[in-house]
Amino acid sequence: MPDTPKKVLVPAEELRTLSAALLEKGGLSAEHARTTADVFVWAALRGVDSHGVARVPAYLDLLEKGVANAGADITVESSTPAAAVLDADRAPGPVALSAAADEAVTRARTNGVAAVGVRRTVHTGAIGYYVSKIAEQGLVGIGFVAGMPNMGYTGVKGAAVATSPLAVAVPTAESSSRAPLLLDMATATIALGRIRQAKANGTPLPEGAAATEDGTPTTDPDKAVMPLPLGGAKGSGMSLAFELLTSVLVGAPIFASFHSDDPAGREHRQNALLIAVDPAAFGGADAFTEAVDATLDTLKGLPAADGAEGVFYPGERSAAVAAGRGEKGVPVAPKVWRELTERAARLGVALPGAAG
């Protein structure tokens, strides 16, 4: 068998600089390009390659086609101190949701809790990034996203709801060596990227993970076109709930318009809701984070099941991956690196030195 092409190792900062330079050439401001690149590299560091720098060429295409608005006029609407709606004007998700996270933290510092809805953004990227940014400020971050229907719904023929994600980040004590808890999950059994990967590799899919166009479950990657919801009716119900908590709440429904006769209902867009909770408003931040650490320590101290690698809390292993990749470099798949270098050549962007 032929050798598998080696991944290219690129230092995270060089990858961030390259991605930002490409996105700036694509039309984003220097600040927004850097913000977007930071979201991609954060995901790549943690091993979430589906949301990593492989997204850069796709975002360049979104900007070139006008699906994403490079010069978006982002506005914040609010009639109460603890809640706001950020109208993204089709700004890339990393730009819009980073602004929403900052807004939520600022308001929660004053009010204890704050919720910021995001209307009319384009592809949010890794939602775990934004709640992690909230947790870095010592607050609890909670996030929901709703997008275009691309997943089955229990009892429905064909694609009905979106693979809408949920993320929760809980800070640990500043003196702790533990990474914050980060739960970041989609409502689908597997990601769309996993289906594409299985198709490229010719490997079968897990039972109950994907379906054909009419919703029939299949393990054949050549027939699979959409993921099935996680836990059946539980996952599809969560996705529908997230549509109500985001799109409907901010006055920009996706589900109903997608399934209507209006062609505009099929235009790509996403909505989100970010919530920041200040532990200081619930009895004390220090006491809270100390109790968080005690909880995680208790979990880690439980006996591991036979055959288990260990006992891990959400986000622990991805944080360890990020630390390792931060030291050794981020492995970039040959195909992705080729796409990045081709875009760099086309746009006149210098490449960083990369070690193979």
Side-chain angles (χ1 to χ4, degrees):
M1 291 181 64
D3 292 336
T4 302
K6 287 180 63 177
K7 291 187 175 182
V8 180
L9 280 179
V10 186
E13 189 54 39
E14 291 186 3
L15 200 55
R16 188 178 288 109
T17 298
L18 172 62
S19 299
L22 289 170
L23 291 163
E24 189 173 354
K25 287 286 188 179
L28 293 179
S29 68
E31 179 186 358
H32 288 174
R34 185 77 176 179
T35 296
T36 305
D38 197 52
V39 175
F40 295 154
V41 174
W42 180 90
L45 277 167
R46 300 180 75 92
V48 188
D49 296 326
S50 61
H51 287 67
V53 293
R55 291 287 182 179
V56 173
Y59 269 55
L60 290 172
D61 291 341
L62 290 173
L63 290 164
E64 184 178 358
K65 295 174 182 176
V67 175
N69 184 2
D73 180 18
I74 299 175
T75 56
V76 176
E77 307 163 7
S78 177
S79 58
T80 184
V85 175
L86 185 150
D87 191 306
D89 190 25
R90 295 182 297 106
V95 175
L97 268 73
S98 292
D102 290 343
E103 187 74 24
V105 167
T106 299
R107 289 172 180 265
R109 290 280 190 217
T110 302
N111 302 289
V113 178
V116 178
V118 179
R119 179 170 57 216
R120 296 196 305 146
T121 190
V122 177
H123 194 273
T124 56
I127 188 175
Y129 173 91
Y130 313 107
V131 295
S132 293
K133 286 297 183 184
I134 293 173
E136 286 176 6
Q137 300 299 312
L139 281 67
V140 175
I142 305 169
F144 309 95
V145 170
M148 307 302 290
N150 57 358
M151 180 178 78
Y153 184 95
T154 303
V156 174
K157 185 177 181 178
V161 291
T163 57
S164 302
L166 156 70
V168 179
V170 181
T172 52
E174 286 187 16
S175 59
S176 172
S177 60
R178 297 213 177 281
L181 179 143
L182 174 59
L183 174 67
D184 188 354
M185 55 171 281
T187 48
T189 302
I190 60 173
L192 277 168
R194 175 88 179 274
I195 296 175
R196 289 192 289 266
Q197 188 176 35
K199 187 174 297 186
N201 297 337
T203 55
L205 293 160
E207 291 279 353
T212 60
E213 190 171 1
D214 66 0
T216 303
T218 181
T219 59
D220 186 343
D222 290 325
K223 295 180 180 178
V225 298
M226 63 179 176
L228 288 170
L230 181 68
K234 295 178 182 179
S236 56
M238 287 173 67
S239 177
L240 187 62
F242 296 169
E243 164 73 3
L244 299 179
L245 289 172
T246 60
S247 307
V248 174
L249 188 65
V250 300
I254 293 177
F255 176 84
S257 61
F258 180 90
H259 293 291
S260 72
D261 294 328
D262 185 358
R266 298 296 177 107
E267 294 176 358
H268 173 75
R269 62 214 187 274
Q270 293 186 339
N271 301 306
L273 179 70
L274 293 180
I275 301 170
V277 180
D278 189 352
F282 292 80
D286 291 342
F288 172 73
T289 53
E290 287 172 8
V292 169
D293 280 4
T295 301
L296 299 181
D297 288 343
T298 301
L299 175 71
K300 298 289 291 180
L302 296 177
D306 292 343
E309 296 177 8
V311 179
F312 303 96
Y313 61 88
E316 181 181 5
R317 283 184 282 192
S318 60
V321 170
R325 290 186 171 189
E327 292 179 1
K328 300 175 182 178
V330 178
V332 181
K335 180 183 177 183
V336 174
W337 185 247
R338 185 170 60 252
E339 290 178 345
L340 291 174
T341 55
E342 288 174 354
R343 296 291 182 126
R346 191 185 313 168
L347 296 172
V349 172
L351 289 174

